[in-house]
Structure formats: structure tokens, C-alpha cells
Amino acid sequence: MARRAGVALSSVSRVLNDHPDVSENMRSRVLEAIAELGYEPNLLAASLRRGSSRMIGFIVPDLRNPLFGSIVTAAQDGLSQQGYAAVITTSSSDADRDADMARLLRHRQVDALIVSLADQTREDLIEELRRFRGPIVLLDREVDGLEDASIVETDHGSGMEQATRHLLSLGHERVALLTGSLQVRPSAQRVQAFREAYRQSALPYPEDLVRPVGFAPEFGERSTVELLRRPSPPTALIVGSNQLLTGVLRSLRRLGIRPGVDIAVVSCDDVPLSELHNPPITVIDRDVTEIGSSAARLALERLNNPDTPPRRVVLPTTLVLRDSTHSPHG
Amino acid sequence: MARRAGVALSSVSRVLNDHPDVSENMRSRVLEAIAELGYEPNLLAASLRRGSSRMIGFIVPDLRNPLFGSIVTAAQDGLSQQGYAAVITTSSSDADRDADMARLLRHRQVDALIVSLADQTREDLIEELRRFRGPIVLLDREVDGLEDASIVETDHGSGMEQATRHLLSLGHERVALLTGSLQVRPSAQRVQAFREAYRQSALPYPEDLVRPVGFAPEFGERSTVELLRRPSPPTALIVGSNQLLTGVLRSLRRLGIRPGVDIAVVSCDDVPLSELHNPPITVIDRDVTEIGSSAARLALERLNNPDTPPRRVVLPTTLVLRDSTHSPHG
DNA sequence: TTGTATGCGTTATCAC
DNA sequence: GTGATAACGCATACAA
């Protein structure tokens, strides 16, 4: 920077990073010069020298999904307070792109990674993550061979068991489950809990009604049609995400089947659509903001103290009963 | 990088940036060494040296709003193809934070800025943007004193006029308009078009029913209650965003007033809630993806050729009629 | 407490 | 076509 202030570059740097050993006189002289000359720091150069970019890399499947928008926003709140910026990338639920983004972010020297992987079992992707030097926070993923990562997970199982039991107790015998691929923790955990709820009842487990197809709306749309065309269709539907829900409701409308009257519907995560739908949709809810702020906290604690071991935070789910769940006979 | 490959650093750089003057022999030797030594490029250093970070800064009011999630996603699609990464910040619709973010991104040396400002009239904010060296793309904002910026705007006026005329033609005389602050282009343009539609009719302009209060759900919630408590309440409601709509629908439900039956409702931007609500909500729609991809295009064209003058892209709105708009008498 | 000097990992400008 | 070298702007170790 301009040495026209009559001071050395190092003094400027010291003032800017408020180093302890700097006189009040020097501080004011530098500050004055900065104001006068319109000095603009170059954080790129500082990052290179410091060996830390103060940037956090995000990889999420889809920013159009308000779930991830909320998570990222909450995480940013915590991170930006400590001077970190967010470099956000999306994978479109494609594990190859996950790997590409991980590499890209590594080369861009982000200090930490907060990621929601498309596939927690892909070896090449895991290897790519393992190459990363710095804290990794996984969002709701269980990755073998990545023991050093912190995890923010949701207890999907408990909500799913509650929901399933609730439907069974209402008299539903054939409940269908639509959720994402089994290559991610939430889906795997839901299917397991769903099966467990059936196991505890006297009813036969409806294997043919479990559809771990993916989280996109189109999957919900197609699966709904397909399920309801069966000779003995389900009388209740559990839907694994707000995105799937839009597809499901679209199909139900087209088929003239009324949620809450002709078929019971439970969704996951409360969004405006589930709350304000007519009838309102019963949901397995959770605190989405907490996911993001926990992720930020876990990242920051290892950033501030590299010796901190990775941690795991588990957030609860709760069943919110609404009018979309009724007994099968009226 | 490791000179153990027996080549000079400059050759490595040349291969990596596929410089024309490099022999096939050298290329393969370098590539081999890179693979063998597990070389990882440092994009921070490259950016510093090159004077270009290949990062694009985003400032949006709220990533939880799927509108901005969609815009950012579409923009990223275009940008990432050319090797640009997105640094995304949020302002919570606070002009002060807009200014902070603009400064931060400038210091982080982003190559371009894509911004949806909270207030297009704030001088300090405009000054902050003017300090930025590089292309700026404004999303739906008209900023005096920032002539060098490209703009992606929506023709909100035409959709609003259509919607208003439609309601008036159905026999509604008192239509209310809820939208964001007048410090942003969309709201200002909507109010103007709304007034124009009334002017063309014989009806008195219902000044008291125009509420440019803000885009957050709570404003919709409060304004709805307030409007409907009046001695002569509106028989139709035009709502300026999907966020406002959730607040409006919440209040209507609480008041026991049925959209499409007791009151006509028109919203802006088609989202799952408007499409799948019962009854489906009439909306003034637009191609949200096109906003993002246009923004990317405008940024890139000036990035690739700094002499390109700033451009303005105008995207259309269309009225999508659904069951929430009925005649006031049944 | 302050100034000087070095290096972070690249790219670009030279010579060769 | 290739190699040596300077410089990007800052932070820090060391000298003063």
C-alpha cells in the first residue's frame, strides 16, 4: 500500500490486523492515511500469504430447494460473523459433480467444506474429500472412510416411526413410502424406521410400496401414478421431501384423488405448501435453521482450534398432525 | 510446483493454461509429473498474479426464497461453465448490509457483481457499488448514478395491468395491492401499472388499498388482517411475491375467508404453493431461470470483452388464470 | 515499537 | 519451444 503515509508497509498490516504491539500514534497515522488514500485491502493476497482464505466451500444438491437455501443462510449467519465468506456450489444430485466441486473448492483454497453429498457410498467422491485439508462438515450423511468429518444429522427415524405408527393406528394397512435414494442417510434411515414400525404391528410389511426413487418432483409425480394404478393401492402416502411432495400433489390432483379424504398424506419438512395446502399436510418436521447454524459451529470450532476432534450433532424430528391424515374409512 | 519433473515452473504453467507454444513432448512429460506427484494448483496464487479471481460475487436479499435460489442456480450454470465460482452473500433486505457485502466482495477481488439491492435509492450503497471495478449486473433495479451497470429486468407492469384489468372486468371494484417497498423497481412499477389500469376504467382509484409494505411474509399477514377489517374491505387482493402470499394465505385462513370464494387472489411468480393450493392461485408469472441465465450472460460478455457496453434485458410477464379469481358476486 | 526483507504459488516477460 | 526471473499484495520473522 501507499507508503506515502510515511510509514512502513508492515505497520499498515499490523494496524489492519490489530496487532498488539502498535502505538496509538502509529495507529491513527495509518488510519488517516488509509482514509485519505482510499486504501482497499486485497484479501486474495492476504489469503495467499496467510495460508488461509477465510472462505468456506458449500456443496448442496439444489439451491432452488428452500431447504438448502435455509441451511446455507443459517450457516452463513454464523460464518460471516467471523469473517468467512461462502463459496456455494451445486451438484444437481450428481455424485460426479460433487467430486468436481470438491476438487474445485480445494484448489480455490477454501478453509472448510460443508457438504450434502448426492451419494455417500461413492469411493471416488470420498477419496476426493479425503484429499481436502481442513474441517469437513457433512450434512446428514454417513460416510465410511471419512472418520475425520464432523456431521450434522437429523434423527429421521424417530419421526418416521411416529408417522408410520400414527397411520397404522388410524387403520391404514397399506402405507407407501416415497423417498430419496438409499445412497443417502435420510432415505436409508427412513426405510429402516418404516420397516420397524411395521414389524411392531401385526401387519405384513408392504415391500412393494417402498419407493426410494429420488428427491426430485418428477419422481413423486411418476411414483404416485404408478402406485395408485395398482390392483390394491396404498391408502396412505409418506413423502420424503418438500420437492417430492409437489410432484405427489400434482399427480393426485390429476387423478382426482383428494389428500386427507381419499388418501392420507404425510410429508417431510414443513414448508408453505404443506402448511397452507387445503387440507393442511401432516409433516415430520425439524428445525432447518439449526442444521445450518450447527454446521457453521462445527466448522468454526475446528477452524479456530485444529486440535478439536470432529463432532456429531443430532437434531430431532417431530410429527405435526394436520388434516391430511385421516382414517382409511372416512 | 515440483521441479522434480525435470522441467521449469513456467512450462508447467504453460501446460496448465494450454499455451499455444508447447511441444507435445513437454506436454506429456508435465502431465505425467502432475499425475505422479499429485500436484494441486493453487487458484488463489493464480488469481493474485493474474489480477482476476474468476469469482463472481452475488448479493441477494434472501436465499430461503426459492426465487433467489433459482436465479442464483441458473446464473451459476452459465458461470461455472466458464470456470467462474460464485461467492454468495445475503442482505436480509437491509441496504446497510448490501453496502457491507459490496465492499467485502470488492476486497475479495471478485471479477463481477450480480446484485438484487434492497434499496435502489441509497446514495451510500450506490457509491459503494461505483467503487467496484468490473461488470455489475443489477437484478430488477433502476439505479440512478450507476449508468455503467447491466440490468436484467422484468416487465412487471404488463402483467400487473393484465391482472388488474382482469379483476375489474370480473366486476371487482375495490382491489388491494400488496407489494414490496417503493425503493425497488418491481414494486414501483407494479403500483404504477395498477394505477394505470384503474385510470383506464371508470372506477375511482383505491389509494387506501395500495400497500407497498415489504416482501416478507409477516407484512402479508398483517396487511391482510388490516385490510379486511376495514368498513369497506377489498373484494380482491393482488400479492407481490410468493413470500407475501404465504402470509396472506395464513391470515385468510385464520379469518375464515376462502380465496377464490370470498375473496379473489392474484400472486406474483408461480411456486408450488400457488400452483397446488386449493383453489389454485392465479399468478403473474415469468421465467425465473431466464433471469439468472441472462444475468450470467450479461456478466460474461463484459468479462470476456471489457469494451462491451452495459446492456439491459427485459423479460416478459404473463397472467396465468386459475380458480382463485372469480367474480365478486359468486 | 517500528522498519526491512523474504516468501506465499502463480503468471508473464524476457532471454536463450 | 523452453528456462530463468520478476512481480502480484500482503503477513511475518527478524533486525534495529
Side-chain angles (χ1 to χ4, degrees):
Chain A
M1 129 163 205
R3 54 189 58 188
R4 288 181 22 217
V7 299
L9 287 75
S10 46
S11 298
V12 179
S13 176
R14 275 189 277 261
V15 170
L16 261 52
N17 300 327
D18 38 47
H19 192 91
D21 296 343
V22 54
S23 74
E24 208 35 69
N25 175 27
M26 175 60 80
R27 157 171 259 92
S28 53
R29 261 171 72 205
V30 169
L31 257 30
E32 192 179 345
I34 282 177
E36 197 156 340
L37 305 177
Y39 167 75
E40 304 264 347
N42 182 331
L43 265 41
L44 229 49
S47 299
L48 176 61
R49 175 60 234 250
R50 196 196 302 130
S52 144
S53 65
R54 301 275 153 97
M55 298 193 301
I56 307 296
F58 285 78
I59 309 176
V60 295
D62 186 3
L63 264 188
R64 292 170 300 188
N65 184 342
L67 168 65
F68 294 109
S70 301
I71 292 175
V72 168
T73 300
Q76 266 189 336
D77 268 5
L79 295 170
S80 67
Q81 278 180 7
Q82 309 239 15
Y84 288 90
V87 180
I88 305 174
T89 64
T90 51
S91 70
S92 308
S93 297
D94 175 346
D96 289 326
R97 289 202 43 184
D98 267 343
D100 288 347
M101 296 303 121
R103 193 158 28 79
L104 174 74
L105 293 169
R106 199 175 63 227
H107 293 172
R108 283 204 179 269
Q109 312 294 125
V110 300
D111 290 347
L113 239 32
I114 298 180
V115 295
S116 175
L117 300 178
D119 185 334
Q120 63 190 21
T121 66
R122 277 273 299 267
E123 254 313 318
D124 54 342
L125 171 52
I126 298 170
E127 177 54 28
E128 200 66 72
L129 288 174
R130 224 179 342 231
R131 280 195 159 79
F132 181 75
R133 298 285 137 239
I136 297 180
V137 180
L138 300 174
L139 300 176
D140 233 333
R141 296 294 182 273
E142 194 96 46
V143 180
D144 281 343
L146 203 66
E147 273 65 38
D148 195 49
S150 291
I151 307 183
V152 180
E153 59 183 40
T154 303
D155 178 13
H156 298 282
S158 121
M160 181 57 67
E161 262 197 68
Q162 272 185 70
T164 312
R165 275 206 294 263
H166 175 63
L167 289 170
L168 297 183
S169 77
L170 286 173
H172 292 275
E173 300 190 352
R174 290 179 57 73
V175 179
L177 172 59
L178 267 63
T179 186
S181 114
L182 294 177
Q183 314 310 319
V184 295
R185 207 190 82 96
S187 302
Q189 200 180 13
R190 281 171 185 151
V191 170
Q192 194 185 340
F194 182 71
R195 176 185 289 123
E196 178 60 21
Y198 259 99
R199 207 189 54 74
Q200 288 176 10
S201 75
L203 296 164
Y205 179 61
E207 184 124 37
D208 56 319
L209 298 182
V210 176
R211 316 281 301 164
V213 285
F215 283 124
E218 305 80 57
F219 295 127
E221 220 168 320
R222 259 183 267 150
S223 293
T224 302
V225 172
E226 202 238 296
L227 284 168
L228 294 177
R229 270 206 195 121
R230 305 251 178 111
S232 62
T235 61
L237 226 51
I238 304 181
V239 183
S241 84
N242 69 75
Q243 305 281 81
L244 273 174
L245 180 64
T246 68
V248 168
L249 292 179
R250 227 170 253 154
S251 282
L252 290 179
R253 167 170 296 174
R254 197 170 319 119
L255 295 170
I257 296 173
R258 295 160 300 173
V261 180
D262 304 318
I263 194 168
V265 175
V266 176
S267 182
C268 291
D269 292 332
D270 204 13
V271 291
L273 176 59
S274 45
E275 177 199 349
L276 296 166
H277 187 270
N278 203 339
I281 310 283
T282 292
V283 292
I284 301 170
D285 197 22
R286 54 176 165 169
D287 187 339
V288 172
T289 296
E290 190 60 32
I291 301 175
S293 49
S294 297
R297 199 159 5 92
L298 292 184
L300 285 170
E301 78 182 16
R302 300 197 72 194
L303 245 17
N304 294 332
N305 184 351
D307 300 329
T308 315
R311 271 212 297 154
R312 175 180 303 242
V313 169
V314 182
L315 303 174
T317 48
T318 58
L319 186 63
V320 180
L321 293 178
R322 300 212 180 104
D323 296 350
S324 69
T325 43
H326 63 297
S327 100
H329 313 296
Chain B
M1 132 163 203
R3 53 190 58 191
R4 288 186 18 222
V7 299
L9 287 75
S10 38
S11 298
V12 178
S13 177
R14 274 190 278 262
V15 169
L16 260 54
N17 300 328
D18 39 45
H19 192 90
D21 297 342
V22 52
S23 72
E24 207 37 67
N25 175 26
M26 174 60 80
R27 159 172 256 91
S28 53
R29 260 171 74 205
V30 169
L31 256 30
E32 191 180 347
I34 283 178
E36 197 156 341
L37 305 176
Y39 167 74
E40 304 263 346
N42 182 332
L43 265 40
L44 229 49
S47 300
L48 176 61
R49 178 57 234 243
R50 192 195 307 129
S52 147
S53 65
R54 302 276 153 94
M55 298 192 301
I56 308 296
F58 285 78
I59 310 177
V60 294
D62 186 4
L63 264 189
R64 292 170 301 188
N65 183 343
L67 168 65
F68 294 109
S70 301
I71 292 175
V72 169
T73 301
Q76 266 188 337
D77 269 4
L79 295 169
S80 67
Q81 278 180 7
Q82 309 241 15
Y84 288 89
V87 181
I88 304 174
T89 64
T90 52
S91 69
S92 309
S93 298
D94 175 346
D96 289 326
R97 288 201 42 184
D98 267 342
D100 288 346
M101 294 305 120
R103 192 159 28 77
L104 174 75
L105 293 169
R106 201 174 62 229
H107 293 172
R108 284 204 180 271
Q109 311 294 125
V110 300
D111 290 345
L113 239 32
I114 297 180
V115 294
S116 174
L117 300 178
D119 185 334
Q120 63 190 23
T121 67
R122 277 274 299 268
E123 254 314 319
D124 54 342
L125 172 52
I126 298 170
E127 177 55 27
E128 201 66 73
L129 288 174
R130 220 173 352 226
R131 279 195 159 78
F132 182 75
R133 298 285 138 239
I136 298 180
V137 180
L138 300 174
L139 300 175
D140 232 333
R141 296 294 182 271
E142 195 96 73
V143 180
D144 280 343
L146 203 66
E147 273 64 37
D148 194 50
S150 292
I151 307 182
V152 180
E153 59 184 40
T154 302
D155 178 14
H156 298 282
S158 122
M160 182 56 68
E161 262 196 69
Q162 272 185 69
T164 312
R165 275 207 293 266
H166 175 63
L167 290 170
L168 297 182
S169 77
L170 286 174
H172 292 275
E173 300 190 352
R174 290 178 59 71
V175 179
L177 173 59
L178 268 63
T179 186
S181 116
L182 293 178
Q183 314 311 318
V184 296
R185 208 190 81 96
S187 303
Q189 200 180 13
R190 281 171 185 153
V191 170
Q192 196 184 337
F194 182 72
R195 177 186 289 124
E196 178 60 20
Y198 258 100
R199 208 190 54 74
Q200 288 176 9
S201 76
L203 296 163
Y205 179 61
E207 182 123 38
D208 57 317
L209 298 183
V210 177
R211 318 281 301 164
V213 286
F215 283 123
E218 304 80 56
F219 295 127
E221 218 168 322
R222 260 183 265 149
S223 293
T224 302
V225 172
E226 203 236 295
L227 284 167
L228 294 178
R229 270 206 195 121
R230 303 250 179 112
S232 62
T235 61
L237 226 50
I238 304 182
V239 183
S241 83
N242 70 72
Q243 304 281 80
L244 274 173
L245 179 65
T246 67
V248 168
L249 292 179
R250 229 170 250 154
S251 281
L252 290 179
R253 167 171 294 174
R254 197 169 319 117
L255 296 169
I257 295 173
R258 295 160 300 172
V261 181
D262 304 319
I263 194 167
V265 174
V266 176
S267 182
C268 292
D269 292 333
D270 204 14
V271 291
L273 177 58
S274 44
E275 176 199 350
L276 296 166
H277 188 269
N278 202 338
I281 310 283
T282 292
V283 292
I284 300 170
D285 197 21
R286 54 174 165 170
D287 187 339
V288 173
T289 296
E290 191 58 33
I291 301 175
S293 49
S294 296
R297 199 159 4 93
L298 292 184
L300 286 172
E301 78 183 15
R302 301 198 72 194
L303 245 17
N304 294 332
N305 183 351
D307 300 329
T308 314
R311 271 211 298 153
R312 175 181 303 241
V313 169
V314 183
L315 303 175
T317 47
T318 58
L319 185 64
V320 179
L321 293 179
R322 298 209 182 106
D323 297 349
S324 69
T325 44
H326 63 297
S327 101
H329 313 297

